[in-house]
Amino acid sequence: MTKLEYLPETPSQTAGPYVHIGLIPHQAGFDIFEKPFGNILAERNTKGERIRIEGRVLDGLGSPCKDILLEIWQANAAGRYNHPADGQTDKPLEPGFRGWGRTGTEFDTGLYRFDTVKPGPVIGRRGYKTMAPHVNVWLAARGINIGLATRMYFDDEAALNEEDPVLRMIEPAVRRQTLIARRENRDDGVVYVFDIRLQGENETVFFDV
Amino acid sequence: MSVPQSEFIQRDRGQHPPGFSPGYKTSTLRSPRLALWSLQNSLSEFTGPVFGREELGPLDHDLLLNYAKTGEPIGERTVVHGRVLDENGRGVPNTLVEVWQANAGGRYRHKNDTYLAPIDPNFGGCGRMITDETGAYAFRTVKPGAYPFRNHVNSWRPAHIHFSLSGSGFAQRLITQMYFEGDPLIPMDSIINTIPDPAARQRLVAPLDLNAAVPLDSLAYRFDIVLRGTRSTLFENKLQGN
Ligand SMILES: [Fe+3]
């Protein structure tokens, strides 16, 4: 018998209370890298509807967590990911748009923000069933032993959300609502409000991806 | 760029700490109580951000020099090196590795760290690099000190370096910690003990690697990291229904 030789994945560990030092040092209180990563995904000329994503991350008692690291990964406005494995070559890539950003909830308010463009619909698993526009969200922090993955959908895309192959499988259906951000038209632009509930009432759906 | 053409192998959650780990008190309010929804990978999971070497500065990976103001930081000069592999045993090239740590006294350069050990004016405590074509990485630093934290009254973290791995797909994203061989604080640490399997815990303990030490300069430790591998898809299902 041949023994299968797969290596086991390295175990996860909490990012701890000082995650900012490594990943967003400015929030820890100092600047060190010439080109730090941040929460502004779109440049001035990036095509698409300019949006802000804003929200809080709430613990099991409903208190805002003020030390959470969040990252987002999204397609461009045409619905294509800036990655060589995205074979949707009928859709254009957007120069200068990586589709990824990183930030932390603020120490005083607990709010996080991303400035980006609204993604377009993306072809579904193995080319089947289009997925409604969504932003992939990953978070890590003190007290979180392994990063949590979720998705943010848009409440003004009801028809596409209705057909989305991921939202559709979530039962009970009421839990799908935890993934849908609320559009607000504010004086300074369009904001989608997306609160994430780590535990308890209306707990956000997290995925084993 | 390593391009996953298929989905990732299902994550073996038994290798990882459960979200709810009462021995690590902060986890009790920050862990989901409901089951995770299993999600078969689509483009959203097996694609991920691509980073280029030109985005990093020439000293970004050198913690001895990247925040040096009046001289070099105090502490044991240390090289940490290894390879980022996937579960199939292949190197993960061109992937972003970010590290952060306390200084030699166990103090972090962070506005929320109030431990009485002093800040080192020449030590930032973070670095970043991109793996080479074989998945190899290396950086220089000082060995971090142990520090206390408020889990129990007398809880101490063993010396450790935090690692963040980007991978080539967003579903490979991983944050972990590296420990140093021989540290007597490891067996009683509440954080490493969130991992139930002793063999899995052991994989976070980097052995001393005298062979990679720089004579008359720095000791070295070796830390290999394994990210999720891709599944073989030899016979595909016909796409129907659903
Ligand atoms: Fe730490």
Side-chain angles (χ1 to χ4, degrees), chain A residues 14-18, chain B residues 100-102 108 147 157-158 160-162 177:
Chain A
T14 176
Y18 308 124
Chain B
W100 68 100
Q101 62 166 88
Y108 281 99
Y147 62 84
R157 296 299 326 280
H160 61 277
I161 300 178
H162 297 263
Q177 300 183 26

